[in-house]
Amino acid sequence: DVKVTQSSRYLVKRTGEKVFLECVQDMDHENMFWYRQDPGLGLRLIYFSYDVKMKEKGDIPEGYSVSREKKERFSLILESASTNQTSMYLCASSDSYEQYFGPGTRLTVT
Amino acid sequence: DQQVKQNSPSLSVQEGRISILNCDYTNSMFDYFLWYKKYPAEGPTFLISISSIKDKNEDGRFTVFLNKSAKHLSLHIVPSQPGDSAVYFCAAKALGGTSYGKLTFGQGTILTVHP
């Protein structure tokens, strides 16, 4: 069974803080993804990575950066958190067909 | 530009009846389609998929139909059960090339199945 884990289920941060969201997968997948889910907007792709140290912007990269130093780990960084980044953040890994998702991190920025 | 659209934000059906969730797409390069199901406070889980070379794929109570000429797909759940109550996302991808397994998702449809 594919397992994708995310470091926190719930997180509360203050405006201006630097926030790190960690994601780890155990299936040796090349591709990993970060999404945010907001009501009525579906899943929107923030960034993805197709190999170690390789990354590409998704549809809404502004205010975010990512890091992939090891194949199994993909981190999402909010350089200076803002209230409009309050959302559910979902990490996924892929074998080129399905994507396998982690449980999500509910981030609240106050 | 929303390339994958689920125009019904919500759907309510009675237990035992059919649920039909719809999805439209605009990008003719999409050739593989997936449905995901998501419960609150959990990540989406894969439900069923269909390749563009087929027009139907069935897995137990779940059937996906693809109409390429209309750029439309639908998910049928028969019979619907209360445990099917969740958000359903349609997703599409272009196989091959440099797609890297990237999916484009619709907005989601909240399905509620009443006992």
Side-chain angles (χ1 to χ4, degrees):
Chain A
D1 255 5
V2 176
K3 196 156 178 74
V4 180
T5 56
Q6 295 185 228
S7 50
S8 306
R9 295 299 301 270
Y10 300 93
L11 211 51
V12 180
K13 294 291 181 181
R14 294 198 177 275
T15 301
E17 278 194 83
K18 191 167 186 174
V19 182
F20 293 87
L21 302 181
E22 301 278 330
C23 175
V24 178
Q25 52 100 359
D26 67 356
M27 278 303 290
D28 203 37
H29 286 163
E30 302 286 341
N31 308 316
M32 295 187 75
F33 306 82
W34 275 106
Y35 296 90
R36 61 180 282 177
Q37 184 205 352
D38 301 288
L41 297 177
L43 274 66
R44 293 182 293 166
L45 182 64
I46 304 171
Y47 266 96
F48 68 100
S49 168
Y50 51 91
D51 201 349
V52 175
K53 297 192 188 295
M54 305 304 287
K55 60 189 178 188
E56 282 204 18
K57 293 179 180 178
D59 301 316
I60 51 163
E62 296 78 20
Y64 304 95
S65 62
V66 290
S67 171
R68 191 153 180 216
E69 298 295 321
K70 293 185 177 181
K71 192 174 187 180
E72 67 271 18
R73 189 179 297 268
F74 191 36
S75 302
L76 179 70
I77 302 151
L78 287 66
E79 295 290 342
S80 177
S82 63
T83 54
N84 63 12
Q85 293 179 309
T86 291
S87 186
M88 167 71 88
Y89 289 88
L90 293 158
C91 174
S93 72
S94 169
D95 59 1
S96 295
Y97 282 90
E98 294 173 37
Q99 286 187 11
Y100 302 87
F101 284 85
T105 297
R106 170 67 66 185
L107 172 67
T108 302
V109 182
T110 60
Chain B
D1 176 33
Q2 190 81 24
Q3 296 186 63
V4 177
K5 293 183 185 178
Q6 294 174 256
N7 291 317
S8 298
S10 63
L11 176 67
S12 181
V13 301
Q14 208 66 33
E15 181 177 7
R17 307 294 288 266
I18 185 170
S19 296
I20 300 177
L21 295 98
N22 293 303
C23 179
D24 297 294
Y25 63 97
T26 57
N27 189 339
S28 56
M29 298 300 290
F30 290 147
D31 54 5
Y32 192 74
F33 304 89
L34 308 90
W35 285 93
Y36 281 81
K37 174 177 171 179
K38 185 182 183 301
Y39 293 117
E42 292 184 15
T45 53
F46 170 75
L47 199 54
I48 192 169
S49 62
I50 188 166
S51 164
S52 60
I53 61 173
K54 293 186 171 184
D55 54 19
K56 177 182 173 182
N57 188 27
E58 200 169 346
D59 183 2
R61 296 185 297 113
F62 302 91
T63 304
V64 56
F65 295 92
L66 175 62
N67 182 334
K68 280 178 296 189
S69 60
K71 293 192 174 69
H72 176 84
L73 61 155
S74 60
L75 174 68
H76 292 211
I77 306 173
V78 185
S80 301
Q81 299 173 354
D84 296 330
S85 298
V87 181
Y88 289 79
F89 291 101
C90 168
K93 69 186 296 181
L95 289 177
T98 55
S99 65
Y100 302 120
K102 192 175 151 191
L103 294 177
T104 301
F105 285 85
Q107 307 96 310
T109 296
I110 301 169
L111 173 65
T112 305
V113 181
H114 298 284

